[in-house]
Amino acid sequence: MELIECKDLCKTYGTGDLEVRALDGASFSVEKGEFVVILGPSGAGKSTLLNLLGGMDTATSGTLRVGEKTVTALSEKELSAYRRKDIGFVFQFYNLMANLTALENVELAQGETGMTAEEALSLVGLEKRKNNFPPQLSGGEQQRVAIARAIVKNPLLLLCDEPTGALDSRTGRAILGLLSDLCRKDGMTVIVVTHNAELGKLADRLIRVNDGKIVENALQTAASPEDITW
Amino acid sequence: MVRRPNPAAVLRRRIRREIRDNFLQFLAVILIAFLAVTLFCGLTANYKKLERRVDVVYREGSMPDVFVLTSGLEEGDREFAAALEGVEAAESRLYLTAESGSSQVVLAVTEGTPTLSKPITEAEGSIFCDEHMLFRLGAEVGEAFPLSLSLDFGSLLEQATGTPAETVLSLLDLLLLDGGVNVFRQEALTLQVRVDGTMLHPEAISASSTSAGMLTMTREDLNGLIEAALRENFTEAGVTAILNVLAETDLSNQILLQVADGQEDAVTEALRDWFGNKETSNLMMVYDRESSPGNAVIESDIRQAQMLTYVFPVIFFLVSVLVISTTITQLINREHTAIGTLKGLGFSRGAILRHYMGYGVVLCLLGGILGVIVGPILIPAVMDIKNNLLYQLPNLAPPFAFWEYGACLLLLVGVAALVSFLVCRREIALKPAESMRPVAPRTARMTAFERSRLWRKCPLSLRMAWRNIVRQKGRALMVILGVMGCTALLVCGFGIDNTLDNSVYTETEVLFPAELNLTLEDGADLPSLTGITFESYARQNGQLQSDSGVRDAVILVFSADTQMFGGGTLSDEGGLLSETLAQKLGVGVGDTLTVICEGIAREIEVTGIYRSGFTQALVLTPSNGDLFGLEPSYAYGKITDPSLSQADAAALLSSMAGVQSVTTTEDTLQTAEDILATVRIITATVKVFAVLLAVVVLYNLSLLNFRERFRDIATLKVLGIPNGQIAASLIWESMALTLVGTLIGLPLGYPVMVLMLTINQTELLTFLYLIQPLSYLISAAITLVTSFAVNFLLGKRVRKVKMIESLKSVE
Ligand SMILES: Nc1ncnc2c1ncn2[C@@H]1O[C@H](COP(=O)(O)OP(=O)(O)OP(=O)(O)O)[C@@H](O)[C@H]1O
Ligand SMILES: [Mg+2]
């Protein structure tokens, strides 16, 4: 069975004249352990799709199943639990809590099962900086803390929205290497959103979005992060 | 041509949008400004209005500047006074205390229509009384009521005719009608008075139940009334004879003077000399307008109202300024990157400064102006409910206290502008690139607590709360100070009530526990009545002298084993002195005082000190009291029969022979309440405002905290942390700060209360300071519950935080 099954997913913002169809009948599925890249121009609806996958927003119509759960049928409380247990989220702007240390930021997401916060930090190579506060870390380091926070609970899905958007190419490559390692070595399902076509080469599965619709959904052989240029 | 909006206009549009988005926050600032200004301006208007109402009565009623009280004017007195330098007008009158039923009435009789101290009325005629008196007598205009004059007609007749009083009286006995009574042999002459209308009168401002009514008429009116009373008893010949004598008699005993400004003291001095140089002085007293009895009461009330205006609202005002400053600081700090961006876009420093100073100034101005309008309308109106029960004054619009209101507004707006300016300047001084980056938290170092083992055990919500407090010391301090101010105000408000109650309780229950206080007639024996135990005592005014001064005091004499005085054990060795007197005289137990009473001076030792708010006395036993020849002419009565009410006992006793008058504890309590009414109502108002302030301050500061943490809240929600837990962290933080603020504020309530009441202390009234534990408890509870409620409601808003929108932007 596929890990993700998405059927006719729609999301509209606003009403009447101001109505925007951010997602217009998206259907696709993703297997467990795949490294998925979602590509598309700005405003295509990539973030909207990712937010729906992560249970941060509710769809206007259509169904979305992740693992055993039908996400589109969950209540707000259940969505909260879904985010807590099953989803790891990495944002373009890290979104760490400035007044918690790196370690505490990770602990925030630590569950009963999964690894400990320190393990997660050493996985991203930041065990030495665990007692620093985010403003004392570089952008790349902050993003690694964010990734540690996302993976500490061993999520079903790791969702990343433009994770390298605010980083230079070398740091960006390191982050992507880290994400693909997580997928290859630890068997985590990773979905990365980007508008950078070059990054598409890293994917096992490439999904192209345009104007709220899925225009391509293809399996491919992934390249290694060292091989791509951007 | 394309319309080019000028950048300033764009910024103004931004202000409007900003206000819409931060509506509640801004509303809170407006409200705080409004409350502070309302209270200050309202209370200012209240006392100014009272003052003005008094001024109007004084002006229209030509309140005299100097009063000369004599036992009866003599040849030359009037002429001397009228001719003094600075005297602009002089008038003599007869002034005496009369009774109607059980009410005291002051009767003022002038030769013709009065020119000084005159009635203000629209009615025709010349006999007027104040409204309150008419109400108390249950009489109406045009309806007759009895008035008993206790003029000593015997000696008047003796003076007028040069014949011994007894001879004249015997002569009058012969001129009686059948069944007529020689009214001059009686204690008092009863007249049937009909008033032509009610009046306001400069000497009859007070309408409390303790003050006498005022009745004015001309000499002609009085003669007419006396004639009517005589006709019922004497023959035509008798009436004519007596009236002839009366017509030639000068009854006047007072001179009223209108004096040029600044000459009052010189005139008073000259008058004292004039009377002092006589062989036997007929002078009783000379005083100026300021110290005239009616004026002293209202002046002290106005002063009370004024002082409360300056102490209570000033604290209130300071808390408000504090909170407003915090809010503005935070609002501008939140604009950190926006300011950088504006600068990057090339806006001038001036434009940016004006933009951000605009927020604070506009908000404070809005709230302030609203306060200036509402306060002076609302608060005097509320206060007047009580004022109108206490005083008889004309109705006037509250005056517009331009300077006070202006200063108050200016201060508020000035502080807002200054704070905005300082904060903005700091931001603007940064290079655009610097300010476009988010600010790093200032202290990233960990406290000892954070490195401890205990820290690891704390739930994350608690840890976050701690970090927020430690990292944002400024804001935390503001919350603490704000809460502290509110708590202190509340404690102070409740404390004032406690103190007043305590002062009254000590007086009526501890010091003088008897329910009935009797004045006995000369030489009368103690009455006896089953169900009441009586004990007589003596009371006389005297002076106490120590090395540091002389004070008026009451000398009380109780038997050594008295049950009626609870201020300590009396001893034959000396006397018990009130604490206030002891302080003013600078004496303590074991010291000796010179006591002057009934023209006798003796040395008496202070054997103890007692505390009282109202009775400043030296309490002696008969062994010392006899030194002054003090005879017990008063008695206290304790009711031992529980079925006997105070009013019934008083009624029974006053009809008994030998009892001149009776007052009950209930009467005393009523009097005390009358005296304390102004303080009480202002206290109540401020309590209400303190609670309002607490609500708004806590709401505002919590909202501020909430907005600042928007992104954090969104992040926590994304991580799937339940809304309840997120709210808990916010509540933890606020409650911890509230608790600290409350704990500091509680002990501060006492000094604030003392400060406020000290200003109100007079020679007659001292306060026995007391704050009941319950008051502390209630004040703390109000603050804590308010804080919790406010935060709880805000916690509900966590649900509404939109994750996606909040996480899109940097910062
Ligand atoms: N809250 C909202 N209200 C109205 N329209 C919205 C809202 N959020 C997104 N949209 C619209 O939905 C469409 C898709 O937005 P989305 O954020 O998914 O784009 P994206 O593909 O992530 O673009 P980018 O690569 O620029 O991040 C856009 O046209 C956007 O304007
Ligand atoms: Mg996007």
Side-chain angles (χ1 to χ4, degrees):
Chain A
M1 193 176 73
E2 296 91 353
L3 179 68
I4 303 174
E5 197 178 278
C6 173
K7 261 204 203 102
D8 286 331
L9 209 56
C10 285
K11 175 74 190 176
T12 49
Y13 290 108
T15 48
D17 283 351
L18 293 172
E19 192 178 277
V20 180
R21 294 200 143 240
L23 210 57
D24 194 3
S27 305
F28 66 94
S29 48
V30 169
E31 297 282 345
K32 188 166 164 39
E34 281 180 345
F35 192 94
V36 183
V37 172
I38 301 179
L39 261 182
S42 184
K46 308 178 296 285
S47 298
T48 307
L49 180 59
L50 205 69
N51 290 339
L52 290 178
L53 282 172
M56 295 219 289
D57 209 349
T58 45
T60 316
S61 67
T63 53
L64 170 66
R65 181 184 58 77
V66 176
E68 325 268 70
K69 295 193 177 90
T70 308
V71 179
T72 39
L74 296 182
S75 72
E76 201 183 321
K77 253 214 171 85
E78 289 162 334
L79 276 177
S80 172
Y82 166 68
R83 289 197 300 269
R84 189 164 63 242
K85 287 215 184 70
D86 300 331
I87 301 297
F89 231 112
V90 178
F91 302 92
Q92 180 178 358
F93 300 113
Y94 334 129
N95 288 309
L96 299 174
M97 304 273 201
N99 54 23
L100 292 184
T101 62
L103 184 64
E104 284 163 347
N105 262 293
V106 179
E107 279 175 346
L108 212 51
Q110 192 178 327
E112 265 97 68
T113 58
M115 47 189 139
T116 66
E118 315 210 351
E119 283 165 358
L121 272 180
S122 56
L123 209 62
V124 299
L126 271 183
E127 64 274 34
K128 291 223 177 70
R129 310 297 303 273
K130 64 179 183 188
N131 283 332
N132 285 94
F133 290 92
Q136 299 168 319
L137 301 173
S138 77
E141 285 166 338
Q142 288 188 49
Q143 194 59 297
R144 280 194 278 166
V145 175
I147 292 173
R149 183 178 66 184
I151 60 173
V152 69
K153 54 192 158 191
N154 253 336
L156 214 52
L157 258 182
L158 179 58
L159 304 175
C160 315
D161 196 348
E162 311 263 13
T164 58
L167 302 172
D168 67 77
S169 66
R170 233 180 51 155
T171 324
R173 201 173 292 140
I175 295 290
L176 286 169
L178 183 61
L179 291 176
S180 89
D181 275 357
L182 283 170
C183 177
R184 311 268 177 265
K185 294 200 185 117
D186 303 296
M188 202 173 280
T189 312
V190 180
I191 301 184
V192 177
V193 157
T194 177
H195 52 246
N196 187 334
E198 193 68 19
L199 298 187
K201 292 179 183 159
L202 293 170
D204 295 325
R205 180 189 292 273
L206 184 68
I207 297 178
R208 279 183 199 277
V209 184
N210 203 353
D211 219 2
K213 296 188 172 68
I214 308 269
V215 292
E216 188 191 331
N217 179 357
L219 287 172
Q220 59 180 40
T221 354
S224 116
E226 286 85 54
D227 300 340
I228 58 165
T229 50
W230 95 83
Chain B
M1 213 181 88
V2 182
R3 201 177 64 89
R4 289 180 189 280
N6 92 39
V10 179
L11 278 185
R12 273 200 296 280
R13 219 175 305 150
R14 211 182 110 82
I15 293 194
R16 278 207 298 279
R17 226 160 273 165
E18 190 76 4
I19 288 181
R20 200 190 53 212
D21 295 347
N22 292 311
F23 180 69
L24 283 176
Q25 191 87 64
F26 287 160
L27 190 69
V29 173
I30 293 178
L31 260 176
I32 295 173
F34 169 73
L35 285 179
V37 174
T38 301
L39 191 63
F40 180 82
C41 293
L43 288 177
T44 303
N46 175 52
Y47 93 80
K48 290 239 166 196
K49 179 177 176 182
L50 200 56
E51 202 170 51
R52 173 138 127 191
R53 291 169 80 185
V54 174
D55 281 349
V56 166
V57 171
Y58 281 3
R59 199 173 54 240
E60 290 187 6
S62 305
M63 178 71 161
D65 297 308
V66 174
F67 293 77
V68 184
L69 277 55
T70 67
S71 53
L73 289 181
E74 289 170 1
E75 246 348 278
D77 289 350
R78 225 175 313 227
E79 292 71 16
F80 175 80
L84 276 172
E85 192 183 318
V87 172
E88 291 166 345
E91 184 168 58
S92 59
R93 70 177 181 186
L94 165 67
Y95 182 94
L96 76 165
T97 318
E99 271 170 30
S100 178
S102 59
S103 301
Q104 284 224 320
V105 175
V106 165
L107 176 64
V109 184
T110 43
E111 283 307 319
T113 314
T115 55
L116 288 176
S117 195
K118 55 191 184 193
I120 305 165
T121 177
E122 272 161 19
E124 297 283 322
S126 53
I127 308 182
F128 302 109
C129 75
D130 64 272
E131 193 134 1
H132 185 70
M133 164 179 156
L134 208 57
F135 172 77
R136 258 194 308 187
L137 298 183
E140 300 213 7
V141 173
E143 184 186 287
F145 59 85
L147 184 77
S148 328
L149 288 188
S150 34
L151 264 181
D152 186 356
F153 282 97
S155 57
L156 266 179
L157 295 173
E158 177 175 319
Q159 256 175 40
T161 54
T163 339
E166 192 42 48
T167 321
V168 184
L169 289 175
S170 327
L171 223 89
L172 287 175
D173 284 339
L174 303 174
L175 296 169
L176 285 175
L177 285 176
D178 270 357
V181 184
N182 187 352
V183 287
F184 296 117
R185 286 192 182 279
Q186 292 175 337
E187 286 263 331
L189 174 67
T190 302
L191 307 176
Q192 291 297 321
V193 184
R194 274 183 193 80
V195 293
D196 298 323
T198 57
M199 63 172 182
L200 292 174
H201 194 278
E203 289 176 83
I205 286 174
S206 174
S208 71
S209 54
T210 43
S211 55
M214 177 109 191
L215 180 65
T216 64
M217 58 179 69
T218 61
R219 184 63 200 278
E220 201 178 324
D221 296 323
L222 181 66
N223 287 350
L225 291 171
I226 293 177
E227 181 179 343
L230 296 181
R231 285 204 185 283
E232 289 177 8
N233 297 299
F234 293 96
T235 60
E236 187 58 39
V239 173
T240 322
I242 298 168
L243 284 180
N244 280 341
V245 172
L246 272 182
E248 281 164 29
T249 317
D250 183 5
L251 292 174
S252 302
N253 57 2
Q254 287 194 350
I255 306 176
L256 310 179
L257 298 173
Q258 185 186 320
V259 177
D261 279 349
Q263 301 273 6
E264 289 91 344
D265 288 344
V267 168
T268 316
E269 264 324 293
L271 283 165
R272 288 214 173 97
D273 285 348
W274 162 262
F275 286 101
N277 288 336
K278 292 188 184 183
E279 216 153 277
T280 50
S281 174
N282 55 337
L283 182 70
M284 289 161 71
M285 250 187 274
V286 183
Y287 51 74
D288 58 12
R289 176 200 284 207
E290 241 65 296
S291 32
S292 72
N295 183 70
V297 172
I298 185 119
E299 277 300 320
S300 88
D301 273 11
I302 293 175
R303 214 186 49 207
Q304 267 179 28
Q306 181 180 5
M307 285 308 172
L308 285 180
T309 308
Y310 285 105
V311 181
F312 242 149
V314 160
I315 296 175
F316 201 91
F317 202 83
L318 288 181
V319 173
S320 307
V321 163
L322 210 84
V323 172
I324 291 174
S325 319
T326 330
T327 310
I328 292 174
T329 309
Q330 298 296 326
L331 282 176
I332 293 176
N333 280 343
R334 209 190 291 156
E335 290 285 297
H336 175 76
T337 35
I339 292 178
T341 313
L342 287 176
K343 249 186 330 173
L345 290 174
F347 275 91
S348 74
R349 281 159 167 255
I352 300 174
L353 265 177
R354 274 197 301 280
H355 174 68
Y356 284 101
M357 283 169 71
Y359 287 109
V361 170
V362 167
L363 294 177
C364 289
L365 214 56
L366 266 180
I369 290 177
L370 217 62
V372 168
I373 296 170
V374 174
I377 295 176
L378 183 74
I379 293 187
V382 173
M383 297 290 183
D384 274 353
I385 298 172
K386 197 79 198 179
N387 284 342
N388 289 340
L389 289 179
L390 290 175
Y391 308 114
Q392 313 186 75
L393 291 168
N395 255 323
L396 291 175
F400 191 82
F402 182 80
W403 290 110
E404 280 88 345
Y405 300 171
C408 170
L409 261 187
L410 209 67
L411 184 67
L412 197 68
V413 172
V415 168
L418 186 72
V419 170
S420 321
F421 174 74
L422 291 178
V423 179
C424 262
R425 208 183 47 167
R426 198 175 63 211
E427 290 287 337
I428 289 177
L430 298 171
K431 298 206 180 62
E434 284 174 314
S435 53
M436 273 193 276
R437 269 202 302 270
V439 247
R442 240 168 306 162
T443 45
R445 226 176 298 123
M446 294 212 234
T447 56
F449 171 51
E450 288 166 52
R451 268 177 265 133
S452 70
R453 207 172 270 266
L454 185 65
W455 175 257
R456 312 280 319 162
K457 298 233 165 66
C458 293
L460 262 176
S461 61
L462 193 61
R463 284 199 234 169
M464 279 205 293
W466 168 266
R467 284 270 166 71
N468 273 317
I469 293 172
V470 176
R471 302 286 184 271
Q472 302 245 359
K473 291 199 187 73
R475 199 181 50 82
L477 194 70
M478 288 297 170
V479 179
I480 292 177
L481 285 178
V483 170
M484 187 189 84
C486 295
T487 315
L489 277 182
L490 282 173
V491 172
C492 167
F494 285 108
I496 288 179
D497 277 342
N498 289 158
T499 298
L500 298 185
D501 288 340
N502 183 40
S503 306
V504 173
Y505 172 86
T506 306
E507 194 72 12
T508 55
E509 300 288 329
V510 179
L511 278 182
F512 305 105
E515 293 89 354
L516 303 163
N517 190 2
L518 283 63
T519 308
L520 304 176
E521 272 163 16
D522 281 347
D525 286 330
L526 269 182
S528 81
L529 199 66
T530 45
I532 305 178
T533 48
F534 292 101
E535 200 182 291
S536 65
Y537 69 98
R539 174 191 183 101
Q540 191 54 265
N541 292 333
Q543 273 116 35
L544 305 181
Q545 189 174 11
S546 74
D547 293 341
S548 46
V550 185
R551 293 278 157 178
D552 284 333
V554 174
I555 315 293
L556 292 172
V557 184
F558 286 99
S559 66
D561 57 351
T562 181
Q563 299 298 308
M564 304 298 183
F565 178 75
T569 327
L570 294 175
S571 117
D572 287 341
E573 309 302 316
L576 293 184
L577 188 66
S578 88
E579 192 181 55
T580 311
L581 280 174
Q583 276 162 11
K584 291 199 167 138
L585 290 165
V587 295
V589 174
D591 293 343
T592 305
L593 287 170
T594 308
V595 182
I596 304 151
C597 185
E598 301 274 33
I600 301 165
R602 287 283 185 276
E603 301 273 306
I604 289 181
E605 191 190 320
V606 178
T607 56
I609 305 278
Y610 72 91
R611 278 166 46 86
S612 165
F614 305 94
T615 309
Q616 308 312 336
L618 177 67
V619 188
L620 306 174
T621 57
S623 69
N624 277 312
D626 290 346
L627 297 175
F628 306 98
L630 294 178
E631 294 290 334
S633 55
Y634 299 88
Y636 275 119
K638 254 190 195 162
I639 301 180
T640 49
D641 174 4
S643 66
L644 192 60
S645 81
Q646 294 188 16
D648 290 346
L652 271 175
L653 283 167
S654 38
S655 63
M656 289 173 77
V659 179
Q660 208 173 65
S661 68
V662 185
T663 46
T664 64
T665 301
E666 281 157 8
D667 295 338
T668 315
L669 289 177
Q670 185 53 50
T671 313
E673 272 316 303
D674 284 350
I675 297 172
L676 301 173
T678 331
V679 191
R680 289 240 198 239
I681 186 152
I682 295 184
T683 314
T685 313
V686 178
K687 266 191 285 189
V688 170
F689 271 73
V691 174
L692 280 180
L693 186 70
V695 170
V696 183
V697 165
L698 287 166
Y699 183 78
N700 179 51
L701 291 172
S702 306
L703 192 64
L704 213 55
N705 187 23
F706 186 79
R707 295 215 109 243
E708 229 167 79
R709 310 266 297 282
F710 229 70
R711 231 178 124 72
D712 286 357
I713 294 169
T715 307
L716 290 170
K717 282 185 78 164
V718 170
L719 292 177
I721 293 176
N723 294 339
Q725 251 182 50
I726 303 176
S729 147
L730 293 174
I731 295 178
W732 263 118
E733 187 183 333
S734 270
M735 288 311 285
L737 293 178
T738 307
L739 194 67
V740 173
T742 308
L743 289 179
I744 304 176
L746 285 178
L748 279 180
Y750 190 86
V752 172
M753 175 190 75
V754 172
L755 178 73
M756 226 151 63
L757 286 178
T758 310
I759 296 168
N760 286 295
Q761 258 178 13
T762 60
E763 287 286 317
L764 295 176
L765 191 65
T766 49
F767 298 104
L768 305 182
Y769 299 116
L770 177 77
I771 300 182
Q772 302 278 11
L774 188 66
S775 299
Y776 284 114
L777 220 63
I778 293 176
S779 306
I782 289 179
T783 325
L784 290 174
V785 168
T786 308
S787 174
F788 185 79
V790 163
N791 281 289
F792 185 78
L793 287 178
L794 271 177
K796 295 247 166 241
R797 296 176 125 235
V798 168
R799 265 195 65 195
K800 295 204 193 117
V801 172
K802 296 230 169 48
M803 285 172 274
I804 305 164
E805 273 88 338
S806 321
L807 292 176
K808 259 181 196 163
S809 58
V810 215
E811 215 194 358

